[in-house]
Amino acid sequence: MNQQAELHEIISKLPSESRQTMLFSATLPKMLVDFAGVGLNNPQLIRLDVESKLSEQLRSTYLYCRSPENRMATLLCLLDLIPKGQLTLVFAATRHHVEYIAQVLTALQMPCTAVYSSLDQEARETNVRMFKNHTVELMIATDVAARGIDIPPLDNVINYNFPSNSKLYVHRVGRVARAGRAGTSYSILAYDEAAYLVDLHLFLGRQLVCATLETSIDAGKYLQGQLDDNGRTT
């Protein structure tokens, strides 16, 4: 039975009079919109998300690598700077990227877990459970797999592949800096992704501040959150 059929089955079991029905969903796919129009009586839509807004508690950092081939080296340097004990979610573009990253980290004795949509359901639940229980502090995931999973409050999100869609970026980094908690997002960019970064800041209405050699920023301390970034975007 698919989700739409299940919803209709639930509605059919409810009393037809003196009833107030509320439907909650983390996302709003077309199926739910169609169902609300047919299965509910004069529904009112209340959205709690703001697709173009980031938390004031979020620190966003962008790391430029000279070529796509240097992306893995950049990730490894970044992971080495993140303090132990912090939960980090790495977003990759495809299942193949996820598997590649997981294999490299495992070979380097860096414990991690991986999640993607085509992974066996039992294995996916086991891997997520390991992350939630802090058995491992690093999880690699695709966007499809990461949308609906229940994960604990995160400390860091890393975009191994920078998303071409600005709303997708907001969705990814929205996994951190929730409920008053501070958090950090790191995005690795190659030269062919620079346009996506510009589009993102136009979408957010934020100024992009670039670090230069003249600023003499101590990158190690900065990435560990020990320096003020004057606007949370560098």
Side-chain angles (χ1 to χ4, degrees), residues 11-26:
I11 290 294
S12 68
K13 301 296 183 181
L14 299 177
S16 58
E17 299 180 358
S18 302
R19 184 190 82 211
Q20 181 182 31
T21 304
M22 292 182 286
L23 174 65
F24 298 90
S25 177

Side-chain angles (χ1 to χ4, degrees), residues 36 40-44:
L40 303 179
N41 183 26
N42 297 322
Q44 298 292 321

Side-chain angles (χ1 to χ4, degrees), residues 36-102:
V38 177
L40 303 179
N41 183 26
N42 297 322
Q44 298 292 321
L45 175 63
I46 301 176
R47 298 193 62 166
L48 300 181
D49 65 312
V50 181
E51 293 183 326
S52 60
K53 184 177 180 180
L54 298 178
S55 169
E56 292 299 320
Q57 299 299 316
L58 176 69
R59 176 193 294 268
S60 299
T61 302
Y62 308 97
L63 307 173
Y64 178 76
C65 59
R66 295 180 179 179
S67 69
E69 290 74 20
N70 294 332
R71 199 184 301 272
M72 176 58 71
T74 305
L75 175 64
L76 294 176
C77 290
L78 177 57
L79 291 176
D80 187 55
L81 291 170
I82 292 177
K84 298 294 183 182
Q86 293 191 1
L87 287 182
T88 301
L89 175 58
V90 179
F91 283 106
T94 68
R95 180 199 75 185
H96 303 292
H97 288 91
V98 170
E99 292 178 334
Y100 168 65
I101 296 170

Side-chain angles (χ1 to χ4, degrees), residues 116-219:
Y116 46 87
S117 59
S118 59
L119 187 66
D120 176 79
Q121 178 68 24
E122 183 176 352
R124 187 159 63 243
E125 292 177 355
T126 299
N127 290 353
V128 172
R129 190 181 308 113
M130 292 172 59
F131 188 62
K132 293 175 66 174
N133 295 341
H134 290 233
T135 303
V136 295
E137 299 172 352
L138 179 61
M139 184 165 74
I140 322 299
T142 60
D143 292 300
V144 173
R147 281 186 179 274
I149 61 176
D150 178 28
I151 57 177
L154 299 174
D155 300 292
N156 309 286
V157 161
I158 299 176
N159 291 308
Y160 180 80
N161 302 102
F162 198 83
S164 59
N165 184 292
S166 298
K167 291 182 179 180
L168 180 55
Y169 174 90
V170 174
H171 172 80
R172 286 183 177 184
V173 303
R175 290 284 186 170
V176 295
R178 290 181 170 184
R181 287 171 51 93
T184 308
S185 69
Y186 303 99
S187 299
I188 301 173
L189 292 115
Y191 64 87
D192 56 347
E193 296 169 322
Y196 301 150
L197 180 60
V198 175
D199 286 343
L200 171 66
H201 281 73
L202 290 174
F203 175 75
L204 296 175
R206 290 191 173 191
Q207 181 182 5
L208 177 62
V209 181
C210 298
T212 64
L213 291 176
E214 288 74 16
T215 59
S216 300
I217 292 179
D218 184 329

